[in-house]
Amino acid sequence: MATNGTSPKITLYTNHGCPWAHRAHITLKELGLPYEEVIIDLEKPREPWYLEVNPRGLVPSIKYSNGIIKDEIITESAIVSQFLADTHPSPFLPASNDSPTAALTRARINFFVDTWFTKANSYWFNIMRKDTEEEKEALAKDFIAVVEKEIEPLLKDADPFFGGSKTLTFAEALVAPFILRTYTYSKHGDLLPKSIHTGFDKLPNFSKWAAATISHDSVTYIWDEENIISRTQARLAKLKIQAK
Ligand SMILES: N[C@@H](CCC(=O)N[C@@H](CS)C(=O)NCC(=O)O)C(=O)O
């Protein structure tokens, strides 16, 4: 069993518009860990002090102390979330020696997250970048087909969360920021075709799981929908101009 030492002191370097940083917010909230946040302005070049924290200049990063560990910096969203979950074992991500089936639970979660990111996640951003409605609709169809083939079967026992869990898990923490953006951009504004959420609604396992996930308090508490939609519209317009 990992040792927690005394209660931790955590600083999260973040930006509320970043889906990768959103993973760390969900994890911290779900584990019930208090933290201080430092917002990094991603519109400006990173200041030298932040490049000392994270030489890659990306968010999220954390600084973590617990009486045994002193002011250690951890970077990369999946590693940050994994570190927090492993240091504070709970049903969110059981420690591998917690029970005879815990290692299997972890393997299933890892496979689900891997499947979302290797098979499905790139679609929504690629769809947004297409110029015509026809191109967007064609790729949206492929996206729905991939989710139906690859993701829907992995959610057969979701109740409502991954693997039959009644509470949010590490699987949701890593994918929820992207599911939330996909639904939001398809339902509101003009970033993604409406056919995406109507297509997803026809997938019984996925739609039930996604509805529970994207309405969960740990997922929504830093979410500022209007601001994120308008920033994404501006970023996309800039990318399209650069591509010409
Ligand atoms: N692989 C990184 C990706 C993090 C990332 O791309 N963060 C973006 C914001 S969403 C960032 O910090 N970008 C800095 C920049 O664009 O200058 C992770 O998972 O933490």
Side-chain angles (χ1 to χ4, degrees):
M1 173 75 71
T3 172
N4 295 344
T6 56
S7 76
K9 183 168 183 304
I10 303 170
T11 305
L12 173 63
Y13 303 92
T14 183
N15 182 291
H16 288 190
C18 173
W20 307 102
H22 198 168
R23 290 169 144 188
H25 285 276
I26 297 170
T27 300
L28 286 161
K29 175 97 166 150
E30 210 41 35
L31 294 174
L33 297 171
Y35 63 96
E36 259 172 41
E37 67 177 9
V38 176
I39 303 286
I40 305 298
D41 184 350
L42 298 177
E43 306 297 322
K44 295 190 193 143
R46 285 325 82 76
E47 292 180 35
W49 72 264
Y50 188 63
L51 293 173
E52 274 179 34
V53 171
N54 182 358
R56 296 184 183 178
L58 303 174
V59 292
S61 307
I62 59 167
K63 185 161 76 181
Y64 185 96
S65 305
N66 67 3
I68 296 168
I69 297 169
K70 176 111 181 62
D71 286 348
E72 290 288 340
I73 299 290
I74 297 133
T75 61
E76 285 294 316
S77 60
I79 297 170
V80 166
S81 300
Q82 175 97 53
F83 166 80
L84 292 168
D86 284 342
T87 310
H88 301 272
S90 78
F92 174 73
L93 181 67
S96 50
N97 61 357
D98 183 56
S99 75
T101 56
L104 181 62
T105 300
R106 292 171 69 104
R108 296 284 185 247
I109 289 176
N110 285 340
F111 183 73
F112 174 74
V113 174
D114 178 89
T115 305
W116 175 263
F117 284 97
T118 56
K119 306 283 185 190
N121 193 58
S122 59
Y123 276 96
W124 63 271
F125 199 70
N126 289 337
I127 296 167
M128 289 198 305
R129 295 185 70 173
K130 292 285 177 205
D131 288 320
T132 68
E133 285 314 306
E134 291 71 29
E135 289 173 309
K136 286 184 192 219
E137 289 295 348
L139 210 49
K141 249 191 190 160
D142 294 347
F143 186 21
I144 294 159
V146 164
V147 173
E148 179 168 21
K149 176 168 181 279
E150 306 285 349
I151 302 292
E152 178 74 0
L154 303 181
L155 292 170
K156 61 179 185 305
D157 60 350
D159 189 22
F161 299 112
F162 188 77
S165 179
K166 300 278 182 213
T167 54
L168 206 80
T169 75
F170 186 61
E172 282 82 27
L174 296 194
V175 299
F178 303 91
I179 306 292
L180 180 56
R181 280 161 177 77
T182 303
Y183 270 93
T184 301
Y185 298 162
S186 162
K187 282 191 167 171
H188 311 289
D190 53 2
L191 286 163
L192 288 176
K194 302 228 176 296
S195 58
I196 294 180
H197 81 259
T198 53
F200 284 167
D201 285 349
K202 294 189 184 120
L203 308 178
N205 304 336
F206 183 82
S207 58
K208 190 176 110 205
W209 168 82
T213 298
I214 67 176
S215 60
H216 194 287
D217 185 44
S218 298
V219 174
T220 57
Y221 78 106
I222 60 147
W223 179 244
D224 177 351
E225 182 166 298
E226 268 178 39
N227 189 22
I228 290 185
I229 289 177
S230 63
R231 282 179 44 180
T232 306
Q233 281 165 335
R235 183 166 154 236
L236 209 59
K238 210 161 138 189
L239 281 175
K240 285 187 178 173
I241 289 168
Q242 279 167 1
K244 283 189 179 145

